[in-house]
Amino acid sequence: MLHLSPLQRRQLRGRWTKRFVKENGNNQKELRAQFPQLYGGTWRDICLYEVGKLAGFLKND
């Protein structure tokens, strides 16, 4: 549906992972096992998200 580059996919996964870690304290392991594509991000994905946020990679202008 969306035509995203691999870099943009990793950045979005980093965004979801960052929010996931903030909101879900005890349920992390269960949700990561159940939805690895969505919540299986690493610190690298979060860093790519932060760099992309500064550079504006995810904006649709």
Side-chain angles (χ1 to χ4, degrees):
M1 293 179 147
L2 295 175
H3 300 287
L4 300 174
S5 70
L7 178 62
Q8 288 174 322
R9 286 187 204 137
R10 289 211 53 190
Q11 289 173 334
L12 286 174
R13 190 165 135 172
R15 178 182 179 186
W16 293 326
T17 301
K18 183 177 178 181
R19 290 182 180 184
F20 171 72
V21 169
K22 280 185 179 180
E23 294 176 7
N24 299 303
N26 298 331
N27 299 330
Q28 286 185 19
K29 290 182 182 179
E30 294 172 13
L31 287 173
R32 283 184 188 219
Q34 192 173 7
F35 303 105
Q37 292 284 339
L38 188 60
Y39 297 122
T42 63
W43 63 271
R44 289 181 185 152
D45 297 327
I46 295 173
C47 289
L48 284 173
Y49 165 65
E50 293 295 334
V51 169
K53 188 169 61 170
L54 292 174
F57 289 141
L58 295 175
K59 294 186 178 179
N60 292 330
D61 292 335

